[in-house]
Amino acid sequence: MKYRIGIDLGGTSIKAGVVDEAHNIISSHQKPTLEGFELVVADMAETAQIAAEMVGLKWDDFSSVGVGSPGFINPQSGLLVLSSNTNWRNKPLKQELQKHIPVPVFIGNDADCAVIGEMIAGAAKGYRNILMLTLGTGVGGGLILNGRLFSGCDGMGAEFGHTPLISDGLPCACGQNGCLEVYASVTALIRQTKEAMKENPETQMHAHVEKYGEVSGKTAFDCAREGDVVALRVVDQYCNYLANGIGGFITLFRPEIVLIGGGLSAAGDTLLDPIRMKIGKFVFASNYIGTPQIERAALGNDAGMIGAAYLGDI
Ligand SMILES: [Zn+2]
């Protein structure tokens, strides 16, 4: 049996998992992400090796190692062009890691890894055209077309979070204005919730925040479930932005399934049902050809590791 290793390179920790042929993570190990490119790469190799040794495996037992990382990754050149977590620029991630690891190494964007993971072992198993959005601090996106990852020239495409939603809209961290991310990330939802609370002293969201400490992505969704009118309005507006963005992507790529991942997807149908209801008005010819199913991603944080392990195959 050949195994694979998937490494999730995050801003705070490096996680490595051994994935078997049934797509299960059979062991995993993690270390904090320290400073310095060479040191972090050596730590990544060591983390992978420890995960392998935990289940009695040697490098000979592995067909490949894959790394998923946030930022601009060029899978062809092996360069980590820009990492927002660590501020690295143009670092030869693949080549440096290959010095420590005697099996083929592949690198990719974390959102691309998440959609691969969901296709291999999660909510999109059996599908060949998949769009996944991960809602977090930003909006990450991954696209599978005809069973293959589509990430554009040099891996710099499929940036769904930075497609324009509102002309001359709010400024985005990327330097553009009005990106989907500025309206549909969890950061955006928190901003929208705070604005609504300021304007509406009567909303139950104030009591919710007193109980739980701070405004989060859950505040509006929890209070909407209880029937709070202001919270319902926040959720409705947020889901409208999201449906608007997703509708455009469906019109462009016509995936069979759309997955929503990230912490906010824990809201389940409270999040998905309004999007399912609204999506038709943003999709070309939806009256005639319908709209794809919209589901919650299944693997949570494991999607990145499993997907990274298969970067060499997809
Ligand atoms: Zn942007």
Side-chain angles (χ1 to χ4, degrees), residues 4-26:
R4 294 172 175 80
I5 291 183
I7 301 176
D8 185 346
L9 172 59
T12 50
S13 67
I14 299 163
K15 285 183 278 182
V18 173
V19 180
D20 68 10
E21 283 181 332
H23 321 308
N24 298 311
I25 296 175
I26 56 167

Side-chain angles (χ1 to χ4, degrees), residues 22-156:
H23 321 308
N24 298 311
I25 296 175
I26 56 167
S27 77
S28 65
H29 184 68
Q30 72 177 69
K31 275 190 120 178
T33 311
L34 304 175
E35 296 273 319
F37 176 67
E38 276 87 10
L39 177 65
V40 170
V41 171
D43 276 350
M44 286 164 73
E46 193 189 305
T47 310
Q49 192 156 2
I50 292 170
E53 284 167 2
M54 283 163 66
V55 279
L57 297 173
K58 300 181 297 297
W59 286 123
D60 277 355
D61 300 310
F62 292 93
S63 57
S64 65
V65 173
V67 181
S69 168
F72 302 163
I73 315 284
N74 184 334
Q76 280 83 41
S77 68
L79 278 186
L80 200 165
V81 179
L82 174 71
S83 159
S84 39
N85 281 337
T86 53
N87 254 330
W88 292 338
R89 278 165 198 260
N90 293 316
K91 296 288 185 189
L93 179 61
K94 178 177 163 155
Q95 289 81 349
E96 191 66 27
L97 192 57
Q98 196 74 76
K99 288 181 192 167
H100 300 265
I101 293 178
V103 297
V105 171
F106 300 90
I107 65 171
N109 175 276
D110 59 342
D112 288 343
C113 292
V115 72
I116 294 172
E118 292 290 340
M119 175 173 72
I120 297 275
K125 229 171 155 175
Y127 293 93
R128 292 177 52 80
N129 293 283
I130 308 154
L131 170 70
M132 177 169 167
L133 292 185
T134 305
L135 310 176
T137 319
V139 173
L143 180 66
I144 303 278
L145 292 177
N146 298 320
R148 305 277 301 171
L149 178 72
F150 177 85
S151 55
C153 177
D154 292 335
M156 299 301 152

Side-chain angles (χ1 to χ4, degrees), residues 161-162 172-174 176 179:
H162 298 285
C172 179
C174 74
Q176 301 185 105
C179 295

